[in-house]
Amino acid sequence: DAKATLLVAAMAFGSRVHTSLDQQDPQMTCSKDVHNYMRTKLERLNYEEFWVLHLNRANRVIYADRVSKGGLSSTSVDIKLIAKTAIDHLSSAIILVHNHPSGTMRPSAADDSLTRRIVDICKVIDVPVQDHVIIGPSQCYSYRDNGKL
């Protein structure tokens, strides 16, 4: 039993190491790239989280920042902290990502308002918001793909 447990643990560790090696500095060229990169972190959660992907000039992720962890239907996001982190990491652009545990992919009015406010603040600091992707249990919604950004 002890050897079997050790073997299972070693295989799980190897899988995590392999996954982390595959995702080092990935390039975000479309919403599908964002979905593939973030789905393992968000698609199975039963509460909302809001993340910001900070990108370099080649659209490679230089920093993935979980901005907030909320409740079943919402989470609180401090826009000033997003702007500060973008400046601190010398981000060339950012992508906003959050999940909808309910599986509803339609953005809420609060999602739309928050996105507009973040876009406006980021224009001031010259860090464009490239997309806002909402991840559900089996699919995603992209503001850019739907002409809302």
Side-chain angles (χ1 to χ4, degrees), residues 52-57 59-63 86 90-96 122 126-131:
V52 177
L53 302 180
H54 297 268
L55 308 175
N56 66 13
R57 292 184 57 78
N59 288 333
R60 294 198 176 276
V61 177
I62 55 175
Y63 184 63
L90 301 175
S91 303
S92 294
I94 62 172
I95 297 174
L96 312 173
C122 287
D126 197 28
V127 177
V129 176
Q130 290 191 345
D131 203 350

Side-chain angles (χ1 to χ4, degrees), residues 36-53:
N36 289 337
Y37 181 69
M38 293 299 296
R39 67 185 290 192
T40 58
K41 293 176 178 63
L42 295 173
E43 73 181 355
R44 288 189 167 76
L45 296 179
N46 61 357
Y47 55 88
E48 281 200 16
E49 284 190 356
F50 194 97
W51 288 69
V52 177
L53 302 180

Side-chain angles (χ1 to χ4, degrees), residues 20-90:
S20 68
L21 290 175
D22 285 346
Q23 294 185 358
Q24 201 167 22
D25 298 338
Q27 190 172 32
M28 299 293 128
T29 59
C30 62
S31 60
K32 185 175 181 176
D33 292 340
V34 175
H35 182 248
N36 289 337
Y37 181 69
M38 293 299 296
R39 67 185 290 192
T40 58
K41 293 176 178 63
L42 295 173
E43 73 181 355
R44 288 189 167 76
L45 296 179
N46 61 357
Y47 55 88
E48 281 200 16
E49 284 190 356
F50 194 97
W51 288 69
V52 177
L53 302 180
H54 297 268
L55 308 175
N56 66 13
R57 292 184 57 78
N59 288 333
R60 294 198 176 276
V61 177
I62 55 175
Y63 184 63
D65 182 27
R66 182 175 68 183
V67 175
S68 69
K69 181 177 173 179
L72 298 176
S73 61
S74 68
T75 188
S76 179
V77 176
D78 189 334
I79 298 170
K80 293 180 291 258
L81 291 178
I82 292 173
K84 180 189 180 311
T85 305
I87 292 168
D88 290 347
H89 288 281
L90 301 175

